[in-house]
Amino acid sequence: MTRLSSWAIRLALVHLGVAFTAGAWLLAARGFPTLAPPSWLRPAHLELALLGWTLQLAMGVAYYILPRHATGAARGSVRIAVVAITLFNLGVLTVVAGAAADQSAALLAGRLAEAGGVALFASNAWPRIKAFGT
Amino acid sequence: MPSVTRWFIKSGMVCLLAALVGLVAMPAREFLPFPAVVAVLWPTLLHLLVVGWLTQLIFGVAHWLFPRRTREAPRGDERLMWLAWVALNAGLVLRLVGEPLALMGQGAGGILVASGVLQWVAAVAFIVNLWPRVKAR
């Protein structure tokens, strides 16, 4: 496993742990309204579970297992992939912070960072999606 | 494929099928005499899809295919993965029972707390077992 994949997958596992902790709180509050969490916890839970955990795990594994280039950098530009994962995680955290602070500008900035991270990742991975022997 | 992986994947498929049946039943209640509880199933069905199917599939496949930990214990402590499987599925079953009851105003607070704790335990057990296997060569 590459260093970048291991970082992305470990970050995904951290997101998983936080997302399930938030989810347990939200579920308990459904039964006991006195345990009601802050209103931003639900969008944070969604963000961490669907993007921070699931999507990031897929990106981390894809970077590792997609077919490698026969010549040059085996997995494309490491620098672009590092920027992509960094930008994506900053985006997830900014969206969560924006939800907590009820700041639309932060939500927008976070979503842009997430989209930028995914676009960079996809541009780097795209040429590796090919038939065997090509 | 390890035994616990097969249980994760097959349980995930059961959750997927159950969620899809529920997603058919929700709009069908306009035409057929389904019980009122069907109307409040959306959050439960969403979690059956995302936790019961997707996350459970990931847990099983990751345990199977991630790099080996050591020669002696290639997949770490399998007991943690069995704990994760039991806790995740027990938590989902409790959610399936408790969440519609709670949404219909019939209590079930204790069931939902137990469900949340069990699913959290499953995630922690999975993370603890997988973490040492996520390493760069």
Side-chain angles (χ1 to χ4, degrees):
Chain A
M1 185 178 292
T2 64
R3 186 180 299 275
L4 179 76
S5 287
S6 71
W7 274 100
I9 293 168
R10 284 187 169 178
L11 284 166
L13 290 174
V14 171
H15 285 287
L16 168 69
V18 179
F20 268 57
T21 303
W25 186 0
L26 288 162
L27 191 58
R30 185 156 277 170
F32 293 106
T34 51
L35 297 175
S39 60
W40 55 266
L41 197 68
R42 189 175 304 281
H45 167 65
L46 276 171
E47 197 73 19
L48 294 168
L50 294 181
L51 279 82
W53 156 235
T54 313
L55 179 54
Q56 180 157 226
L57 180 81
M59 291 198 296
V61 172
Y63 183 74
Y64 173 47
I65 66 168
L66 282 173
R68 286 173 284 180
H69 295 302
T71 58
R75 292 182 171 84
S77 166
V78 176
R79 188 173 300 171
I80 288 176
V82 168
V83 171
I85 294 295
T86 305
L87 196 58
F88 179 78
N89 278 279
L90 287 174
V92 171
L93 294 179
T94 306
V95 168
V96 170
D102 196 19
Q103 289 290 327
S104 300
L107 281 174
L108 175 61
R111 293 275 188 232
L112 285 171
E114 288 171 350
V118 170
L120 278 177
F121 181 85
S123 70
N124 202 39
W126 193 275
R128 294 175 57 193
I129 302 168
K130 56 188 180 180
F132 287 116
T134 59
Chain B
M1 184 185 291
S3 175
V4 71
T5 291
R6 296 199 301 272
W7 280 88
F8 269 118
I9 295 174
K10 287 182 175 176
S11 306
M13 287 180 166
V14 171
C15 288
L16 175 63
L17 190 62
L20 292 176
V21 168
L23 289 172
V24 169
M26 285 188 72
R29 76 182 190 279
E30 300 283 329
F31 311 102
L32 296 168
F34 284 125
V37 69
V38 172
V40 298
L41 282 179
W42 170 244
T44 311
L45 297 177
L46 182 65
H47 283 86
L48 265 183
L49 277 176
V50 177
V51 179
W53 161 238
L54 187 57
T55 297
Q56 191 150 223
L57 183 73
I58 291 171
F59 280 17
V61 173
H63 178 67
W64 174 30
L65 292 177
F66 266 46
R68 289 163 191 253
R69 187 172 174 181
T70 61
R71 193 181 299 271
E72 297 75 29
R75 293 188 174 88
D77 187 346
E78 293 247 337
R79 291 173 303 179
L80 281 173
M81 291 306 291
W82 281 111
L83 171 65
W85 181 82
V86 170
L88 192 73
N89 285 284
L92 283 169
V93 168
L94 290 180
R95 178 174 206 141
L96 196 58
V97 174
E99 193 166 42
L101 286 175
L103 288 171
M104 294 180 77
Q106 297 182 28
I111 295 175
L112 291 181
V113 170
S115 170
V117 170
L118 282 166
Q119 291 177 75
W120 181 82
V121 166
V124 171
F126 171 74
I127 292 167
V128 167
N129 196 50
L130 196 72
W131 190 275
R133 296 175 61 190
V134 183
K135 56 189 176 188
R137 274 189 296 186

